[in-house]
């Protein structure tokens, strides 16, 4: 079964600092990779996704992520964070479960706090 | 258009009671998923419906949990003989077509279940 590891539980940054959130997954086959974000009081929403092609994918609000197959990683980056980026970020892998469907497996999440 | 809706938003019950949680997916979405998110964890897959049938229920923790989707739209997650360990946020998601690696899942706001 697939698994996802997010290295940081809580990250605190000042506005304009650069962000990188680590994500590693464990799965031997083809994967589809996602970053979801949950702003305070809101539901999970998609930030960006990787299916195939260019391993550097760009998402909403200036976020990007790079898929490095050899490292089983899909790290999320943003060059300059804003206070409004304060949220919890979840990395997820969609892979065939062997039980008849693709299953989305999430990491434990990284809480980002941006200080004005 | 309307997103995924879930009712109730909060449910408090006593140990041993029966609860039902409802999910109304995005209109036209044939795939529906239930997840459970415990405190400090990412969402964990419970069950996936394609149309009216449960295509993958491998994530249900035990036989106290059951879900239905009788008309291929609204789904109800049913928990019998609730235990304190069932306390969590129950998330519903839907996607346009059958479960596949590339299909984006749209999440509802969740139902926070507290078992006293």
């Amino acid at each position: 079964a697939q698994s996802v590891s997010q290295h940081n539980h809580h990250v605190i940054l000042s506005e304009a600092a650069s962000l990188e959130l680590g994500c590693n997954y464990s799965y031997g086959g083809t994967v589809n990779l996602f970053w979801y974000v949950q702003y305070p009081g809101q539901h999970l929403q998609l930030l960006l996704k990787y299916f195939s092609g260019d391993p550097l994918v760009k998402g909403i609000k200036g976020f990007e992520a790079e898929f490095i197959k050899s490292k089983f990683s899909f790290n999320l980056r943003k060059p300059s964070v804003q206070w409004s980026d304060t949220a919890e970020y979840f990395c997820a892998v969609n892979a065939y479960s062997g039980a008849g469907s693709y299953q989305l497996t999430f990491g434990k999440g990284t809480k980002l706090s941006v200080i004005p | 258009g309307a997103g995924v809706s879930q009712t109730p938003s909060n449910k408090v019950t006593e140990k041993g009671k029966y609860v039902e949680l409802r999910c109304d997916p995005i209109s036209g979405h044939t795939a529906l998923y239930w997840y459970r998110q415990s405190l400090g964890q990412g969402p964990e897959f419970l069950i996936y419906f394609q149309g009216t049938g449960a295509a993958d229920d491998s994530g249900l923790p035990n036989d106290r949990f059951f879900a239905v989707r009788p008309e291929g739209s609204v789904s109800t997650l049913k928990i019998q003989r609730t235990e304190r360990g069932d306390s969590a946020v129950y998330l519903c998601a839907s996607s346009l077509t059958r479960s596949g690696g590339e299909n984006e899942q749209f999440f509802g706001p969740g139902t926070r279940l507290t078992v006293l």
Side-chain angles (χ1 to χ4, degrees):
Chain A
Q2 60 266 34
S3 65
V4 179
S5 296
Q6 292 185 240
H7 312 305
N8 308 100
H9 177 63
H10 192 186
V11 173
I12 302 172
L13 295 173
S14 297
E15 273 193 319
S18 65
L19 169 73
E20 181 159 2
L21 301 182
C23 172
N24 285 89
Y25 66 92
S26 168
Y27 185 73
T30 302
V31 294
N32 299 285
L33 300 159
F34 302 79
W35 277 95
Y36 279 84
V37 60
Q38 188 166 26
Y39 296 103
Q42 297 187 25
H43 57 272
L44 275 169
Q45 54 187 283
L46 185 68
L47 200 55
L48 51 75
K49 57 191 177 186
Y50 171 79
F51 295 151
S52 63
D54 189 344
L56 184 63
V57 293
K58 296 190 184 298
I60 59 171
K61 303 185 181 185
F63 285 90
E64 64 179 31
E66 185 175 14
F67 170 50
I68 303 180
K69 189 175 180 180
S70 61
K71 295 185 178 180
F72 297 90
S73 71
F74 190 56
N75 292 354
L76 181 70
R77 299 194 292 249
K78 185 171 184 179
S80 176
V81 295
Q82 301 173 318
W83 176 78
S84 58
D85 294 324
T86 295
E88 190 154 19
Y89 293 81
F90 293 92
C91 181
V93 169
N94 204 357
Y96 188 67
S97 70
S101 75
Y102 283 78
Q103 285 186 11
L104 198 57
T105 301
F106 286 84
K108 291 186 176 183
T110 298
K111 193 167 295 186
L112 172 65
S113 298
V114 179
I115 302 168
Chain B
V4 177
S5 62
Q6 293 185 246
T7 54
S9 55
N10 280 283
K11 176 71 177 177
V12 180
T13 191
E14 294 180 342
K15 180 175 177 294
K17 299 289 188 184
Y18 168 84
V19 296
E20 289 189 352
L21 312 179
R22 176 189 166 106
C23 171
D24 202 339
I26 293 172
S27 178
H29 281 194
T30 60
L32 184 146
Y33 313 80
W34 283 98
Y35 294 84
R36 178 169 70 175
Q37 186 174 15
S38 302
L39 196 62
Q41 304 292 320
E44 294 177 291
F45 170 83
L46 295 177
I47 187 169
Y48 152 61
F49 284 90
Q50 180 57 42
T52 60
D56 182 355
D57 64 359
S58 62
L60 294 177
N62 51 60
D63 60 6
R64 295 187 298 106
F65 288 75
F66 189 71
V68 295
R69 194 186 185 199
E71 297 178 358
S73 178
V74 171
S75 175
T76 305
L77 179 66
K78 308 181 180 194
I79 309 175
Q80 299 176 319
R81 305 182 304 280
T82 51
E83 299 178 356
R84 291 194 180 88
D86 298 336
S87 296
V89 175
Y90 289 82
L91 297 170
C92 178
S94 69
S95 65
L96 188 58
T97 61
R98 67 187 302 270
S99 170
E102 300 182 5
N103 290 322
E104 177 183 347
Q105 296 182 24
F106 295 83
F107 283 82
T111 294
R112 182 176 298 278
L113 175 66
T114 303
V115 182
L116 301 177

